[in-house]
């Protein structure tokens, strides 16, 4: 089981999502998982989640739009790590964040 679960709520952020996931992959801590929660995106974000998850070894959960809180709660329920980190899908982490 991973030590850290990174939860990324996703809603209509296709232009920002690749940079956010690149920042996850650049983490110096090796023991983590990423959970992308597509919250009913109406742009190409859902398809990008599926494609990027294969490249970045993330899990994707697709759900009907329920808002940021609902997406985070879905991620929390799916998390396997001892610790939780939340990353907004239009943001990024510095490599030593974890």
């Amino acid at each position: 089981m991973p030590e850290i679960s990174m939860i990324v709520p996703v809603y209509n952020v296709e232009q920002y999502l690749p940079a956010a996931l690149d920042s996850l992959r650049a983490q110096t801590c090796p023991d983590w998982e990423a959970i992308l929660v597509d919250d009913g995106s109406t742009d190409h974000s859902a398809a990008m989640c599926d494609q990027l998850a294969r490249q970045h070894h993330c899990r994707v959960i697709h759900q009907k739009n329920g808002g940021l809180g609902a997406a985070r709660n879905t991620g929390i329920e799916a998390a396997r790590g001892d610790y939780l980190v939340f990353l907004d899908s239009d943001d990024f982490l510095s490599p030593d964040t974890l």
Side-chain angles (χ1 to χ4, degrees):
M1 291 197 341
E3 184 176 8
I4 301 168
S5 294
M6 292 189 279
I7 299 167
V8 185
V10 175
Y11 181 75
N12 292 350
V13 289
E14 63 184 272
Q15 72 245 29
Y16 305 109
L17 193 56
L21 294 184
D22 285 344
S23 78
L24 295 181
R25 199 169 87 179
Q27 292 301 300
T28 57
C29 175
D31 194 18
W32 56 269
E33 68 171 347
I35 303 166
L36 307 177
V37 182
D38 168 44
D39 193 38
S41 294
T42 58
D43 65 358
H44 295 103
S45 295
M48 288 180 68
C49 283
D50 293 332
Q51 178 184 15
L52 292 169
R54 288 188 292 274
Q55 296 170 5
H56 294 274
H57 308 292
C58 305
R59 287 191 289 153
V60 178
I61 300 170
H62 297 282
Q63 67 181 28
K64 181 179 171 186
N65 183 264
L68 181 60
R72 286 185 175 169
N73 287 337
T74 297
I76 290 169
E77 291 172 8
R80 298 181 300 207
D82 294 326
Y83 301 97
L84 301 176
V85 173
F86 297 97
L87 174 65
D88 290 337
S89 51
D90 63 348
D91 207 352
F92 60 91
L93 301 172
S94 63
D96 61 349
T97 298
L98 299 181

